Amino acid sequence: MTRQRLTREQQEFYETNGYLIGMPAIFDEQEVEQLNAGFNKTVGMLNEGEVPSDIMGWHQTSRWQYNICANPQILDYVEGLLGPDFYLWGSEFITKAPKSEKVVPWHQDSYYWPLTPHNSVTVWLAFTDVDEGNAAMKVIPGTHKGGLVQHKIADEESILSFQLSDGTFREDSAVTLSIPAGGVSLHDDAIVHGSPANESDRWRIGFVIRYSSTDVKCDLEKNPNFKAYLMRGEDRYQHNPQGEIPTVDFARPESSKRIRKR
Ligand SMILES: O=C(O)CCC(=O)C(=O)O
């Protein structure tokens, strides 16, 4: 595709609502096949007892994943929201097999992250078509402006550790982020979002990438493995340790179990 910048209208929509969809797919059908071949190869590297949603932060060891995170079109979109100076720091697969009962409970990302100030964008890259039928992510527009809300320990079927209590937001205004395979959505770190169980007979595979502007500092006592990879511009703050770009296409960190703090 020809590279595109976000329009002023798209930037304003994001600012008001805390998310953005509707951009043309970044990867075409053949590229999506290659993405899924890479995903399958990565899943083949999981240890016994690990599941695809344990693939977190492997952009630090896998050049294949790092290159996806550094895709120029993805970075153009992020630049349109965070400005010229920003870094990559997180990635994970959030997958749901057909008929999976796993849910991502309603939550705010920044409740989890020891990052200050709150100035981060998540790119949700669809490896499969995702829609209402196969548990696409939902957001509550505008909730990124309401500040952080207290979370409670999550229910057993949850992929995450914490969730919002009922009554802290209006679920009836939720918007489903349908995305074609190879496309992305963008969301703010404070927006309320989540996704239901996958009742369909289709896989639902998302690769989630986190970026922050260079003024954002991580509390390393809370996240000692945090590494910043400058993606655009310059890092005048030097707040965070810099990561080394991986050289091997498919390699994994020693341990990778998603920790559910209970
Ligand atoms: O994939 C999902 O359902 C949720 C993703 C999510 O929570 C996130 O990207 O922050």
Side-chain angles (χ1 to χ4, degrees):
M1 66 174 280
T2 322
R3 271 167 66 186
Q4 299 190 349
R5 295 274 172 179
L6 294 183
T7 62
R8 185 76 215 125
E9 207 181 3
Q10 287 172 312
Q11 289 169 320
E12 282 169 8
F13 183 93
Y14 183 90
E15 157 65 20
T16 305
N17 294 286
Y19 75 96
L20 194 63
I21 49 172
M23 294 77 78
I26 294 175
F27 298 97
D28 65 23
E29 214 176 311
Q30 206 182 347
E31 290 165 330
V32 168
E33 264 178 40
Q34 287 162 3
L35 287 176
N36 280 289
F39 171 71
N40 290 333
K41 196 163 172 174
T42 303
V43 167
M45 291 158 60
L46 287 170
N47 292 331
E48 211 182 312
E50 290 176 342
V51 294
S53 293
D54 291 325
I55 304 168
M56 282 185 88
W58 291 25
H59 64 279
Q60 293 192 5
T61 51
S62 160
R63 185 59 178 259
W64 172 71
Q65 283 189 44
Y66 176 89
N67 285 348
I68 298 173
C69 301
N71 174 279
Q73 176 60 80
I74 292 180
L75 299 184
D76 285 349
Y77 288 152
V78 176
E79 187 171 337
L81 302 175
L82 290 180
D85 305 318
F86 63 91
Y87 62 84
L88 154 74
W89 61 269
S91 71
E92 59 193 282
F93 278 97
I94 303 194
T95 66
K96 292 184 191 173
K99 307 290 180 206
S100 164
E101 288 176 2
K102 288 284 174 199
V103 303
V104 176
W106 294 108
H107 69 284
Q108 292 171 296
D109 291 334
S110 44
Y111 183 81
Y112 284 80
W113 298 340
L115 301 180
T116 327
H118 292 158
N119 201 7
S120 304
V121 166
T122 291
V123 172
W124 202 105
L125 168 61
F127 274 42
T128 57
D129 291 335
V130 288
D131 50 48
E132 188 77 40
N134 67 343
M137 191 172 90
K138 294 173 192 275
V139 297
I140 316 283
T143 44
H144 62 306
K145 289 184 184 279
L148 282 191
V149 182
Q150 186 62 38
H151 289 47
K152 61 174 187 174
I153 301 288
D155 301 334
E156 198 49 54
E157 70 281 5
S158 163
I159 291 176
L160 304 181
S161 324
F162 301 107
Q163 67 186 58
L164 286 163
S165 304
D166 295 343
T168 53
F169 59 95
R170 293 276 310 269
E171 197 170 335
D172 57 1
S173 56
V175 171
T176 298
L177 304 190
S178 296
I179 320 171
V184 296
S185 65
L186 308 167
H187 70 264
D188 183 277
D189 59 359
I191 195 167
V192 173
H193 62 290
S195 62
N198 181 9
E199 290 172 1
S200 77
D201 53 12
R202 291 177 289 146
W203 269 90
R204 175 273 205 203
I205 303 174
F207 184 56
V208 173
I209 319 170
R210 324 278 190 192
Y211 305 89
S212 297
S213 78
T214 51
D215 63 328
V216 174
K217 183 172 168 50
C218 179
D219 179 346
L220 296 177
E221 285 196 10
K222 297 199 173 127
N223 187 353
N225 293 327
F226 190 89
K227 296 276 186 302
Y229 294 82
L230 189 66
M231 291 282 112
R232 288 269 165 96
E234 60 175 318
D235 183 355
R236 286 178 289 116
Y237 298 91
Q238 300 285 317
H239 279 329
N240 304 292
Q242 305 292 306
E244 272 181 40
I245 299 174
T247 50
V248 179
D249 270 347
F250 291 91
R252 53 160 297 153
E254 258 171 50
S255 106
S256 192
K257 196 83 189 119
R258 182 184 283 269
I259 297 164
R260 291 187 80 239
K261 303 181 207 81
R262 297 197 129 257

